[in-house]
């Protein structure tokens, strides 16, 4: 019911309550974060403060900062990357860190001053319900269709580009080591 109760809950009981949900490390991280929040005397309200909590990464810190505290922090997930790549016609590989950072910065530059959490949620929802993956977007239902570069150019199926790095090939060798004496 409260952060303090979670922080004080016996781990065995917590794992029993979490049973069936999977990702047990998430439950442990939630509890670690609850303990830190209790020590801090309250929930951090900045991106950096949230990011410092166990189990909280860039996306989660941004989403919480914007939705709960009104901070202008873009929450960039796969859905948002897909929407952004299609809207702008950007054919860079969205799996590259520098490309994700560029999209995050572009969102930060265009994010409204008021209601940034709603802005993030709208983009996530657009990607989840309309700008669908695998080249099957519902462009006829999209409020951004009039200014979508991918729709205009007929490239919805080609964007976003998601190229994984080539796996390193394994080479098996036999090695002999000779030592004198």
């Amino acid at each position: 019911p409260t952060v303090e109760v979670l922080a004080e809950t016996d781990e065995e009981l917590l794992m029993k309550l979490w049973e069936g949900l999977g990702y047990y490390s998430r439950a442990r991280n939630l509890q670690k974060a609850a303990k830190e929040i209790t020590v801090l005397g309250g929930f951090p309200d900045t991106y950096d403060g949230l990011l410092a909590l166990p189990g909280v990464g860039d996306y989660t810190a941004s989403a919480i900062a914007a939705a709960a505290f009104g901070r202008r922090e873009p929450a960039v997930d796969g859905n948002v990357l897909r929407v952004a790549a299609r809207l702008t016609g950007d054919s860079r590989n969205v799996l590259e860190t520098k490309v994700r950072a560029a999209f995050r910065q572009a969102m930060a530059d265009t994010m409204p001053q008021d209601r940034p959490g709603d802005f993030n949620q709208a983009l996530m929802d657009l990607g989840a319900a309309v700008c669908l993956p695998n080249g099957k977007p519902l462009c006829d239902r999209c409020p951004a269709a009039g200014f979508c570069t991918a729709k205009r150019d007929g490239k919805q199926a080609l964007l976003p580009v998601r190229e994984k790095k080539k796996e390193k090939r394994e080479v098996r060798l036999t090695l002999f080591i000779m030592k004198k004496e």
Side-chain angles (χ1 to χ4, degrees):
T2 67
V3 172
E4 294 78 15
V5 170
L6 175 57
E8 295 170 8
T9 299
D10 176 68
E11 185 178 333
E12 190 175 318
L13 173 60
L14 180 60
M15 292 301 108
K16 182 67 179 164
L17 294 169
W18 195 267
E19 202 170 67
L21 296 175
Y23 301 106
Y24 289 93
S25 63
R26 286 187 180 169
R28 288 184 185 93
N29 280 332
L30 276 171
Q31 187 173 45
K32 287 178 189 172
K35 288 177 181 180
E36 281 197 34
I37 291 166
T38 302
V39 168
L40 291 171
F43 213 91
D45 65 354
T46 64
Y47 170 82
D48 290 331
L50 292 161
L51 194 58
L53 294 173
V56 176
D58 175 68
Y59 169 75
T60 304
S62 297
I64 293 171
F69 303 110
R71 305 274 187 205
R72 292 183 71 235
E73 294 290 345
V76 180
D77 68 352
N79 287 327
V80 171
L81 286 170
R82 184 172 50 258
V83 170
R86 286 180 177 164
L87 283 175
T88 61
D90 194 316
S91 60
R92 292 178 294 170
N93 183 2
V94 298
L95 297 179
E96 291 181 10
T97 304
K98 65 182 180 184
V99 174
R100 293 173 86 90
F103 275 121
R104 189 178 196 289
Q105 185 59 54
M107 284 182 58
D109 293 343
T110 59
M111 183 175 255
Q113 293 289 335
D114 62 328
R115 300 173 58 193
D118 290 344
F119 178 81
N120 282 337
Q121 191 63 52
L123 286 175
M124 289 185 279
D125 288 349
L126 186 61
V130 178
C131 196
L132 302 175
N134 304 319
K136 299 179 183 176
L138 306 174
C139 296
D140 57 321
R141 298 184 194 171
C142 184
F147 55 90
C148 179
T149 303
K151 181 181 183 325
R152 181 193 70 212
D153 297 345
K155 294 186 176 182
Q156 302 94 313
L158 302 175
L159 297 173
V161 172
R162 300 175 60 86
E163 295 175 353
K164 293 184 179 178
K165 290 184 179 178
K166 293 180 182 174
E167 289 186 30
K168 294 181 181 178
R169 79 171 203 217
E170 185 177 312
V171 178
R172 294 183 180 264
L173 302 170
T174 303
L175 176 67
F176 292 98
I177 299 176
M178 297 175 61
K179 292 175 72 174
K180 186 177 179 181
E181 297 175 17

